[in-house]
Amino acid sequence: MKTLFLIVLSSSVLLLGQSKPPAKAPSARKAEKAEPAQQPEPAEKQADDPAARENQELERSLGESGGSPVEYTRALERHLKKYPDSARRQEIIRVLAQAAVENRDKARLVLYGVPAIESGARGGAILDNVTRTLLDRDDKESAEKALKYSRMLVEMVSDQRKSQLESKEPGSGRGRRLDETEYALTRAYTFEARALSNLARFDEALEAARKGWAVCPTAENAFERARLLEKAGKPKDALESLAEALALNDERTAPTDAAKEGARLGELSKKAFGDENGFGAVALAAYQRVGQATTARQARLKQFDPNFGAKAPADFTLGGVSGEPVSITSLKGKVVILDFWATWCGPCRAQHPLYEQAKLRFKDNPDVIFLNVSTDEDRGAVKPFLEAQKWKGQFLYEDGLAVLLRINSIPTTVILDRQGAVVSRMNGYIADRFVDMLSDRIRDALEN
């Protein structure tokens, strides 16, 4: 079943959005004490074992699928048809559900996703996709399942959000991850609202939709509220929500038909005010509300992560290893040299004395600032390393700047001009020329 295991592993990684590091190999000492590996059973014994024969047949079928996701799915379906009581039935159904997510196969999402969730599958992608597919159906059973799964999703994502908000561990991308989590939570609340609406529980549906909007304003949520409010016979409120949806210009929501939404604005305006062109003031007020809500949310996320939304080096604040954080924008008017390094990087250690020689050449120039930027994932290793090496200077954590600058190898040296723009980049170093090359580029930045 090696092939099946690889499919499960691959799909699980895709659903979680991340992969775990491989387990460490056993040490030589432990290996000496390990039990000898069991020898494979003789072919004669495997032939007498129905489970072994089934596994061999499935492995052969999957091997013949040619790596095609569609053929993998068909091979697994043929196997379940031939072995309906397979001991691996639940495992295969979960793989089929995950494949349906990846292939965007709505029919199989329900066929395999529902039993997979009922048997304990709790991945965010499978809950999201199965719930969304069920919401497109008109029957009561689908609506009830969608309500159940949307509430599972709300609970799961709420826990993730709580954990992120309570975490004191610094690191890059915290604001972006929280932003994505809150967007997912609003989506889950919006699903809950749609499911409740499909069950004709309109007051509860509006409450769920409003909870989602309070977490993270999204166009998807505003469109849903507009639909609910129109159903509830509140055309003015529906018009306000529709105007909010259009004002958001949410890139994460599927694009809408502008002509269709314009006509809908006119219809709601006529119902609310007796004039299909009377929505101008409502639209203006919606843009103001959306702008205020978006600004307030961005400010809150920046308090959580000062680099949230940073789009240029000058927007970043880098945490200090032993001192206060440094705001790059506070260094405007100076030439800033960023040395990206890591404790585990051998070439970084070799380059460090050369870097120090270049610093000495500009030690009397207050317009030249050297910053040593650690790219270590394990922040706890940085300070002991610096103390052991007796390195001096201003050492900072990269806090997402390395991602923005696409630092793919270290050591890398980046020079910012007086306006905070990148004017030079040195990937690696040439030992006998590094000091002169870096010095020349600093002088160029000072003169321009």
Side-chain angles (χ1 to χ4, degrees):
M1 292 297 291
K2 179 175 71 175
T3 308
L4 178 59
F5 170 77
L6 290 174
I7 301 172
V8 174
L9 177 60
S10 174
S11 299
S12 299
V13 168
L14 287 170
L15 284 174
L16 293 173
Q18 59 184 11
S19 59
K20 295 181 179 179
K24 292 181 179 179
S27 66
R29 185 179 298 275
K30 289 183 179 178
E32 291 173 2
K33 297 181 179 179
E35 294 292 331
Q38 293 184 350
Q39 297 299 316
E41 294 181 350
E44 297 81 4
K45 188 170 182 180
Q46 289 184 11
D48 294 334
D49 183 351
R53 286 201 306 274
E54 178 192 340
N55 289 346
Q56 287 176 348
E57 183 177 332
L58 179 56
E59 185 170 351
R60 183 172 61 255
S61 297
L62 293 176
E64 292 172 355
S65 67
S68 164
V70 174
E71 293 303 321
Y72 266 125
T73 295
R74 290 173 179 167
L76 291 170
E77 288 178 326
R78 288 193 298 268
H79 188 82
L80 283 183
K81 186 174 182 180
K82 184 173 182 179
Y83 297 97
D85 299 321
S86 170
R88 308 197 77 120
R89 182 177 180 82
Q90 283 192 0
E91 178 186 3
I92 293 172
I93 284 177
R94 290 192 184 192
V95 173
L96 284 167
Q98 293 164 357
V101 170
E102 295 164 23
N103 295 331
R104 299 182 181 179
D105 187 332
K106 290 187 176 182
R108 287 186 171 95
L109 268 171
V110 175
L111 181 61
Y112 301 115
V114 169
I117 292 171
E118 294 296 334
S119 68
R122 291 296 180 270
I126 193 169
L127 279 170
D128 183 293
N129 282 271
V130 172
T131 303
R132 185 68 186 84
T133 303
L134 289 169
L135 288 171
D136 289 337
R137 300 187 166 200
D138 296 329
D139 60 288
K140 182 180 179 182
E141 182 182 1
S142 294
E144 288 174 341
K145 281 190 170 69
L147 178 58
K148 177 182 176 182
Y149 300 159
S150 65
R151 285 177 169 171
M152 285 181 183
L153 195 56
V154 166
E155 182 179 4
M156 182 183 77
V157 182
S158 293
D159 288 344
Q160 292 175 356
R161 182 190 185 217
K162 181 181 178 182
S163 176
Q164 289 173 356
L165 288 170
E166 292 177 349
S167 174
K168 302 300 182 184
E169 182 178 353
S172 62
R174 297 175 72 216
R176 175 185 52 78
R177 288 192 295 272
L178 180 59
D179 178 46
E180 292 170 352
T181 299
E182 291 187 340
Y183 186 90
L185 181 55
T186 293
R187 182 173 169 86
Y189 274 124
T190 305
F191 285 169
E192 182 182 357
R194 172 66 67 90
L196 287 164
S197 171
N198 290 352
L199 293 168
R201 294 160 61 177
F202 297 112
D203 289 343
E204 294 175 77
L206 276 170
E207 179 62 23
R210 285 167 179 154
K211 284 181 180 178
W213 182 262
V215 172
C216 174
T218 71
E220 181 181 42
N221 180 276
F223 279 126
E224 184 62 31
R225 282 188 294 112
R227 193 182 69 84
L228 287 169
L229 289 162
E230 187 175 7
K231 273 189 174 185
K234 299 179 179 180
K236 183 176 181 299
D237 292 340
L239 179 60
E240 290 175 350
S241 292
L242 180 59
E244 287 174 343
L246 299 176
L248 265 168
N249 191 26
D250 189 350
E251 295 178 354
R252 291 179 285 194
T253 298
T256 59
D257 185 329
K260 182 179 177 181
E261 295 305 337
R264 193 175 170 206
L265 276 174
E267 291 169 6
L268 287 173
S269 179
K270 189 170 183 178
K271 288 180 182 179
F273 307 116
D275 179 3
E276 64 180 12
N277 296 313
F279 56 79
V282 173
L284 179 60
Y287 271 89
Q288 291 173 340
R289 286 196 304 277
V290 165
Q292 291 169 356
T294 302
T295 300
R297 184 164 185 273
Q298 289 175 340
R300 177 174 63 82
L301 287 170
K302 282 189 75 69
Q303 285 183 338
F304 179 79
D305 177 357
N307 296 323
F308 174 73
K311 294 180 172 59
D315 298 334
F316 277 80
T317 296
L318 305 183
V321 175
S322 300
E324 293 295 316
V326 172
S327 168
I328 302 297
T329 192
S330 70
L331 303 177
K332 189 173 181 179
K334 301 180 185 298
V335 170
V336 179
I337 299 89
L338 303 168
D339 170 33
F340 290 91
W341 67 284
T343 57
W344 46 264
C345 169
C348 298
R349 298 188 193 192
Q351 178 196 259
H352 187 73
L354 304 176
Y355 189 73
E356 290 297 305
Q357 289 179 37
K359 284 172 66 175
L360 284 173
R361 293 186 177 184
F362 297 92
K363 65 182 178 63
D364 296 324
N365 190 333
D367 287 342
V368 179
I369 304 295
F370 289 84
L371 301 177
N372 304 274
V373 185
S374 165
T375 62
D376 286 89
E377 290 186 11
D378 179 9
R379 293 189 173 208
V382 178
K383 193 171 182 179
F385 173 87
L386 296 176
E387 291 172 350
Q389 298 293 323
K390 295 183 172 54
W391 285 7
K392 305 298 181 183
Q394 196 160 21
F395 287 87
L396 307 168
Y397 300 112
E398 61 91 17
D399 285 340
L401 181 58
V403 175
L404 178 82
L405 295 177
R406 298 182 181 180
I407 305 298
N408 298 317
S409 63
I410 49 174
T412 290
T413 305
V414 174
I415 300 176
L416 307 181
D417 65 14
R418 295 179 187 271
Q419 286 71 49
V422 175
V423 292
S424 183
R425 180 183 183 117
M426 301 170 67
N427 298 327
Y429 71 102
I430 302 172
D432 59 344
R433 297 178 55 202
F434 178 75
V435 178
D436 289 337
M437 289 174 65
L438 179 56
S439 300
D440 288 344
R441 296 187 188 199
I442 294 172
R443 293 188 189 101
D444 287 343
L446 286 168
E447 293 171 3
N448 296 322

